[in-house]
Amino acid sequence: MSSNTVSKTSTTDPHRLPNFCAGPAAIPTEVLARAQSEMLDWQGRGVSVMEMSHRSKDYMAIAEKAESKLRSLMAIPDNYKVLFLQGGASLQFSAIPLNLLNGGPADYLTTGAWSGKAIKEAKRYETLGLGGINQVATGKDSNFTTVPAMSEWQLSDNAAYFHYCANETIHGLQIFEPPQVGAPLIVDMSSCILSQPIDVSKYGMIYAGAQKNIGPAGLLIVIIRDDLLDQASEWCPLLLNYGHQADKESMSNTPATYSWYLAGLVFDWLEAQGGVEAIGQINQQKADLLYKTIDDSSFYNNPVDKQYRSIMNVPFTLANSSLDKTFLEESEQAGLLSLKGHRDVGGMRASIYNAVPLEWVQLLVDFMIDFENRYA
């Protein structure tokens, strides 16, 4: 076992260990502490937020504040609606074609597991006559370690939309700049939203599951331009209809009230860190530290094209894969949690979302160097 066992008192909080889970992921300690203090009695009201009517004056104030904070953090233009929905990002793989295909075609770029799932689901709706689904390119031949050159993309004429995943959580591949195409960009930002500044006006719609950088699982954020709200097909269920949900202020049915509340606390926390620009600088520091450790070693490897390396999800392998089990056992014994790679990729993966402090990444790096020294 490594001598670098992580004492609970060596982390930023005496009761918490470094958590590198891909999702549900770490939530800022300050947010959890505040939620704990308000659990039984929210601001002297004598009830928990979980017990409030979603249409009560108090809860409406919570919801409105969360939206206002998110709009401020991301500089969301006035001609975009912000929806707090349920079902996770995967439900949007169905909702998007039902809302936006309109005779199509629609273009999809496949760069990993999640964009692959999105196009597979969208193709189910071709049989309804909503329009064709076109895969413009796929990174499968490279095992999703790079993005095919745009010169190779087979773009449709007059596409209804262009869908891609900005950050592939499983493969650790990130597209940092929005593709320059003519169709409205529909982007899955589940694992990179709020990690760096972006220009929202370049996108038709951004969607993100909450369980990476926003809060607990069960909540979904949709940021959608107004002109895309009224295009849903007759096949679209009411609860998946973006225009309907916008009209009902995300309360067509009872929303995920406690997750929405916790998201608001995360937005407060992020604002206190200096906003998205400040947290983006910290995220880059964390990623640089971890990738340098990997690149400076012949013992560790990250296969992703350097220009597309994710700053949120860092997969890595050992030169001797027979040591994988030992690495994972010893890292957990050392107090470093959830480093096992996804079953489709293997190896290890460190997810270093906003709530993962630089100190935790340093502890991981120290363990990796020690492990290499003992087993190389």
Side-chain angles (χ1 to χ4, degrees):
M1 176 180 169
S2 167
S3 60
N4 284 354
T5 300
V6 178
S7 163
K8 286 189 177 182
T9 57
S10 71
T11 64
T12 52
D13 180 88
H15 304 293
R16 289 168 62 73
L17 292 175
N19 178 12
F20 299 98
C21 189
I27 293 175
T29 299
E30 298 91 332
V31 169
L32 295 176
R34 182 174 167 188
Q36 181 185 49
S37 71
E38 296 179 342
M39 174 63 76
L40 299 181
D41 181 7
W42 182 80
Q43 297 190 6
R45 299 298 197 272
V47 296
S48 171
V49 172
M50 284 188 284
E51 301 171 300
M52 290 181 183
S53 165
H54 60 293
R55 300 193 183 280
S56 68
K57 180 179 178 180
D58 284 337
Y59 189 80
M60 290 299 293
I62 290 171
E64 289 166 5
K65 180 184 176 185
E67 178 179 338
S68 177
K69 290 279 186 178
L70 181 59
R71 283 185 174 277
S72 176
L73 286 165
M74 296 185 67
I76 299 173
D78 291 341
N79 64 322
Y80 284 74
K81 294 293 188 296
V82 178
L83 309 178
F84 291 78
L85 306 177
Q86 300 176 67
S90 295
L91 186 58
Q92 300 312 299
F93 300 163
S94 297
I96 289 164
L98 286 167
N99 276 273
L100 302 176
L101 193 50
N102 286 325
D107 285 346
Y108 279 70
L109 175 64
T110 306
T111 54
W114 294 110
S115 52
K117 290 177 183 290
I119 189 172
K120 182 178 180 180
E121 184 66 13
K123 281 183 172 293
R124 290 160 50 88
Y125 296 95
E126 289 181 311
T127 59
L128 297 179
L130 300 183
I133 301 297
N134 172 48
Q135 180 173 259
V136 303
T138 175
K140 185 177 181 179
D141 288 346
S142 72
N143 292 319
F144 300 116
T145 58
T146 192
V147 177
M150 191 171 179
S151 60
E152 301 174 5
W153 295 5
Q154 301 297 311
L155 295 166
S156 303
D157 294 330
N158 301 315
Y161 61 85
F162 180 101
H163 178 278
Y164 75 105
C165 179
N167 188 85
E168 291 283 1
T169 318
I170 293 172
H171 293 90
L173 181 146
Q174 186 166 358
I175 299 173
F176 293 94
E177 295 295 330
Q180 300 298 307
V181 297
L185 292 177
I186 311 300
V187 57
D188 180 354
M189 287 193 178
S190 292
S191 51
C192 63
I193 193 170
L194 294 168
S195 64
Q196 290 181 314
I198 63 166
D199 182 353
V200 173
S201 69
K202 292 183 178 180
Y203 303 90
M205 173 179 144
I206 296 166
Y207 67 102
Q211 67 273 18
K212 319 285 190 177
N213 269 339
I214 293 174
L219 181 70
L220 169 85
I221 304 294
V222 169
I223 303 166
I224 183 168
R225 204 171 60 216
D226 287 347
D227 63 293
L228 299 177
L229 288 171
D230 59 354
Q231 299 185 28
S233 79
E234 63 181 14
W235 295 98
C236 186
L238 203 57
L239 291 181
L240 299 186
N241 186 308
Y242 299 136
H244 172 76
Q245 289 286 13
D247 288 343
K248 298 297 183 180
E249 299 181 318
S250 306
M251 293 192 181
S252 178
N253 65 330
T254 305
T257 55
Y258 199 72
S259 295
W260 194 336
Y261 153 76
L262 280 169
L265 299 190
V266 172
F267 301 153
D268 285 344
W269 173 85
L270 186 53
E271 184 179 66
Q273 309 313 301
V276 177
E277 183 173 353
I279 206 71
Q281 293 173 2
I282 296 171
N283 287 335
Q284 192 64 59
Q285 285 182 299
K286 295 185 297 186
D288 288 347
L289 174 61
L290 186 48
Y291 283 121
K292 185 177 188 303
T293 302
I294 294 168
D295 291 341
D296 286 350
S297 165
S298 59
F299 189 78
Y300 299 105
N301 179 60
N302 172 276
V304 179
D305 185 340
K306 288 186 178 181
Q307 66 177 313
Y308 295 116
R309 281 178 165 178
S310 170
I311 66 168
M312 294 281 95
N313 309 101
V314 182
F316 58 94
T317 57
L318 306 184
N320 182 356
S321 60
S322 67
L323 289 171
D324 285 6
K325 183 178 179 181
T326 304
F327 182 97
L328 292 169
E329 288 175 349
E330 290 196 10
S331 61
E332 185 167 355
Q333 290 167 4
L336 303 169
L337 308 180
S338 302
L339 286 168
K340 186 176 182 179
H342 191 274
R343 59 187 177 275
D344 290 345
V345 175
M348 275 57 69
R349 174 178 54 176
S351 294
I352 50 177
Y353 300 121
N354 287 355
V356 173
L358 181 60
E359 180 189 2
W360 287 5
V361 180
Q362 184 63 61
L363 290 169
L364 171 59
V365 163
D366 291 345
F367 173 83
M368 291 170 66
I369 293 171
D370 176 69
F371 188 88
E372 178 178 2
N373 288 338
R374 290 183 292 110
Y375 287 100

